[in-house]
Amino acid sequence: MAKEQENNLKINNSEYGRSFYMPAVPGIEKLFTRGIPNGSAVIVEGGPGCGKTIFCLQACVHACEKGKKVLFMSFEEPENNLRSHLKMFNFDVEKFEKKGLLRLKRFNALDIARSVEALLSEAKKELLIDVQPILVPQDFEPDLIFIDSLTSISSAFSGESNRFRIYMEQLFRYLEANNITSFLIRETPHPTHIGTVVGGDDAAVSFLSDGIIVIYNVFYEDGERKRAIEVLKMRGEKINRKIVELQIIDGKGVVIYPDKPLKGKYVLT
Ligand SMILES: Nc1ncnc2c1ncn2[C@@H]1O[C@H](COP(=O)(O)OP(=O)(O)OP(=O)(O)O)[C@@H](O)[C@H]1O
Ligand SMILES: [Mg+2]
């Protein structure tokens, strides 16, 4: 069978019973064939200030516009900061909050670490803990969850990386069992898959996830800085594997240029 036919067959098979979600970030559609399979857990990673939060907030509001219920869990910025970011890009946050479609909620990572500790002692250190009470507000059943960021949660478990891993395993299990599509932000000082050795918590999270989207801070030899994006992995979807330009535009938000692959002498940071 011709390679292309074979690939098409694989794609059609993977489509059975599955629907896809396309984050409404202009240009991203060309990096996918159909989108992100619903129920996937997707890591959005990148260095400081590359645009992870804005990318996710934008995806979040557009999902609400399509009638999805979305929970944005922030371990970093207070709710009001997130609202003002959204306003700067002309998104009507309050409208969706009033409709009950959008819940922006700030969490304290140390509280999560303490709750996990308490639950683990209660369960006599068994691996199974119920993450729901310490994760999702009980009166809200989201279709999508955004977590900003796994890195903040991880640092609250300082010195207890085993517990963080247990928590992550349970979190991924919870998301899967409830068919929740999720975007999990991870801050990386260096892109984890180029050159650097990935180990420990980062590797565990990478293997647990269904997809990885990387946003880069690009540094050019002539001193110019740009941003770029790549879909590195997406289980169950044929992706367009290339690194393309991304811009953050005032009044508009994140825009991806799928026909502008990076050129010249640059370093990805
Ligand atoms: N109104 C705006 N117009 C254009 N660019 C903006 C605007 N607001 C913010 N930015 C750019 O977006 C960047 C921050 O994006 P964002 O907060 O999403 O990054 P991040 O990857 O989440 O960063 P961190 O690692 O600090 O959480 C800023 O560094 C700034 O350059
Ligand atoms: Mg951020």
Side-chain angles (χ1 to χ4, degrees):
M1 197 186 295
K3 195 88 203 145
E4 201 175 317
Q5 253 179 314
E6 221 174 275
N7 284 342
N8 284 341
L9 191 67
K10 271 189 211 147
I11 287 160
N12 289 337
N13 284 342
S14 75
E15 207 172 346
Y16 285 152
R18 205 135 199 209
S19 47
F20 293 81
Y21 165 71
M22 185 73 79
V25 173
I28 203 169
E29 65 287 346
K30 284 202 176 162
L31 300 181
F32 291 99
T33 309
R34 280 157 301 255
I36 294 168
N38 274 338
S40 300
V42 181
I43 304 280
V44 177
E45 70 168 41
C50 67
K52 303 176 294 295
T53 300
I54 293 173
F55 175 92
C56 285
L57 283 171
Q58 191 166 333
C60 186
V61 171
H62 282 113
C64 293
E65 279 170 358
K66 288 189 184 147
K68 302 267 184 221
K69 279 180 100 170
V70 181
L71 172 66
F72 192 100
M73 300 172 64
S74 175
F75 291 87
E76 306 200 339
E77 302 186 60
E79 288 104 348
N80 274 339
N81 276 21
L82 302 175
R83 285 190 190 99
S84 58
H85 294 332
L86 283 163
K87 282 181 189 153
M88 210 156 53
F89 297 109
N90 291 323
F91 297 122
D92 193 348
V93 206
E94 275 101 5
K95 181 171 110 189
F96 296 112
E97 287 188 301
K98 273 187 204 133
K99 274 189 178 173
L101 288 174
L102 178 63
R103 185 78 68 92
L104 298 173
K105 197 163 162 46
R106 188 184 194 183
F107 290 80
N108 181 341
L110 281 171
D111 290 344
I112 300 266
R114 279 191 214 110
S115 309
V116 170
E117 171 68 26
L119 279 168
L120 282 172
S121 343
E122 225 171 85
K124 298 203 175 57
K125 313 285 181 217
E126 279 175 37
L127 289 190
L128 280 172
I129 52 167
D130 185 3
V131 300
Q132 183 165 15
I134 46 174
L135 180 76
V136 179
Q138 297 284 302
D139 58 337
F140 196 68
E141 280 185 22
D143 300 304
L144 279 105
I145 291 184
F146 292 76
I147 300 181
D148 191 359
S149 65
L150 293 187
T151 322
S152 307
I153 302 178
S154 162
S155 49
F157 281 87
S158 58
E160 298 285 356
S161 71
N162 204 22
R163 297 215 169 126
F164 173 70
R165 275 190 228 176
I166 293 172
Y167 181 60
M168 281 300 116
E169 274 167 28
Q170 298 303 312
L171 170 63
F172 279 90
R173 203 171 293 177
Y174 163 80
L175 294 168
E176 190 187 312
N178 293 281
N179 199 33
I180 296 171
T181 307
S182 57
F183 290 80
L184 314 163
I185 293 181
R186 174 163 71 181
E187 283 147 33
T188 49
H190 306 288
T192 50
H193 54 283
I194 1 183
T196 27
V197 178
V198 187
D201 296 343
D202 270 343
V205 167
S206 296
F207 291 122
L208 285 168
S209 70
D210 299 300
I212 302 181
I213 295 177
V214 193
I215 304 179
Y216 298 102
N217 282 310
V218 188
F219 182 64
Y220 279 88
E221 221 179 45
D222 65 3
E224 198 188 353
R225 273 231 180 250
K226 283 193 178 174
R227 297 177 213 274
I229 188 166
E230 174 184 25
V231 181
L232 188 67
K233 143 177 165 178
M234 197 61 64
R235 289 178 183 151
E237 167 66 333
K238 184 184 175 192
I239 48 175
N240 191 353
R241 294 175 61 96
K242 56 181 178 179
I243 302 177
V244 299
E245 208 177 305
L246 172 151
Q247 285 181 20
I248 301 175
I249 302 173
D250 197 26
K252 236 178 173 180
V254 172
V255 178
I256 294 167
Y257 298 88
D259 300 323
K260 280 193 188 173
L262 295 186
K263 284 192 185 130
K265 289 206 167 167
Y266 61 82
V267 180
L268 297 174
T269 62

